Amino acid sequence: MLDDFNQDINSFFSLHGKCALVTGASRGIGYAIAGLLAHYGATVIGTATTMAGVERIQALLANIHHTDFNEKYGTGILLDVTDSENISQVFASIEERYGAPLILVNNAGIVRDQLCLRMKEEDWNAVIQANLTGAFSVTRRALKGMLKARWGRVVNIGSASAALGNAGQVNYSAAKAGLEGFSRALAREVASRGITVNVIAPGFIETDITRQFSEEQVAQMLSSVPLGRMGKPLEVALLVHFLVSEAAGYITGATLPINGGIVMG
């Protein structure tokens, strides 16, 4: 009985036989997600906007599988989520080599912070295009394979900024709030086909960006965090893994906060 129980639990969390596409996977949260999904058996395609980023993803996959880089385990690939033609080309390449990605993690995004009065229109447009329209464009293409398979997982990486609103981030906060609305609407559209769509909303996470902050800036940030520390990329990745696994098959249209208590409820 116990052996059967353990076998059932393991099968819930295994990702063997699944192809996962993780955008913005060359560093920070996306890098941790790509690594963890590969650890649980997924064939991971991680995207980056530079060849250096692609090579970093490939080194990560090689390290996880204890081998020289081998494309059978997945690969890094160049992708501009704001370029529809590039998206089509990348999906055609993935499908030819690995089959349709049935797991999609939309993590790619940018920040162009400035007070609203001083914000340039191009900075508003760039953030909306990359963080919201990009997720829409990639998801729309990924749905073709998921609908055919009658199974899929879409996880969009949002932000606590969607609920809080951050001064100097009207573009970013708007994009992340839009991502939540997009996800809830899409979840209703595709639920009958066995596809779930959810959002993870991180707060302050230890990344290359936050490591550049001064001690004073970090202290000011943490003063609003009840748990008194930043989150780790791996903690976000673990939540993503849960949502893309069979274990989370009854969760859809949800926004799951991981922010140390900045936003509660």
Side-chain angles (χ1 to χ4, degrees):
M1 175 77 74
L2 186 58
D3 288 342
D4 290 342
F5 177 79
N6 288 336
Q7 185 174 2
D8 287 344
I9 291 296
N10 290 335
S11 67
F12 267 127
F13 291 102
S14 172
L15 300 178
H16 284 282
K18 297 292 194 306
C19 178
L21 175 62
V22 182
T23 68
S26 65
R27 58 192 176 93
I29 291 173
Y31 185 80
I33 293 169
L36 192 68
L37 299 192
H39 172 79
Y40 278 96
T43 299
V44 174
I45 315 302
T47 80
T49 56
T50 66
M51 278 307 302
V54 167
E55 291 167 2
R56 189 160 188 257
I57 294 164
Q58 292 175 169
L60 169 68
L61 297 176
N63 183 60
I64 288 169
H65 293 287
H66 306 291
T67 182
D68 292 333
F69 175 65
N70 188 326
E71 281 198 346
K72 75 177 183 179
Y73 298 118
T75 189
I77 195 165
L78 289 171
L79 176 65
D80 177 357
V81 299
T82 69
D83 184 335
S84 296
E85 184 176 344
N86 187 205
I87 291 170
S88 296
Q89 293 168 346
V90 164
F91 268 89
S93 175
I94 293 171
E95 288 165 350
E96 181 180 1
R97 178 68 178 85
Y98 303 101
L102 300 184
I103 294 171
L104 171 63
V105 182
N106 284 308
N107 175 69
I110 63 172
V111 292
R112 298 252 181 110
D113 294 352
Q114 184 56 270
L115 295 176
C116 184
L117 189 63
R118 299 174 183 170
M119 183 173 290
K120 296 178 181 178
E121 189 170 327
E122 53 263 38
D123 290 336
W124 168 272
N125 290 336
V127 170
I128 297 298
Q129 188 73 15
N131 296 23
L132 180 56
T133 307
F136 156 74
S137 299
V138 174
T139 302
R140 180 177 57 176
R141 181 60 180 81
L143 285 176
K144 293 181 179 181
M146 295 180 187
L147 290 168
K148 186 175 181 179
R150 300 188 71 86
W151 192 95
R153 297 286 188 267
V154 179
V155 176
N156 294 316
I157 305 302
S159 172
S161 297
L164 284 172
N166 282 341
Q169 288 194 321
V170 294
N171 49 4
Y172 185 80
S173 296
K176 294 300 186 181
L179 196 61
E180 292 189 17
F182 163 75
S183 301
R184 287 191 291 271
L186 180 60
R188 291 189 182 275
E189 291 183 14
V190 298
S192 65
R193 299 297 185 94
I195 303 168
T196 65
V197 185
N198 293 290
V199 177
I200 291 176
F204 299 125
I205 306 297
E206 291 179 1
T207 64
D208 293 343
I209 294 175
T210 58
R211 291 189 191 99
Q212 296 174 13
F213 293 166
S214 67
E215 290 185 10
E216 183 179 351
Q217 287 174 313
V218 171
Q220 184 176 1
M221 288 167 53
L222 295 184
S223 67
S224 64
V225 181
L227 285 180
R229 67 172 178 87
M230 291 190 198
K232 300 181 183 301
L234 181 58
E235 291 175 308
V236 180
L238 286 164
L239 190 51
V240 171
H241 169 243
F242 170 68
L243 285 178
V244 304
S245 74
E246 293 287 359
Y250 203 55
I251 300 174
T252 196
T255 296
L256 279 65
I258 178 165
N259 57 44
I262 296 173
V263 181
M264 296 187 181

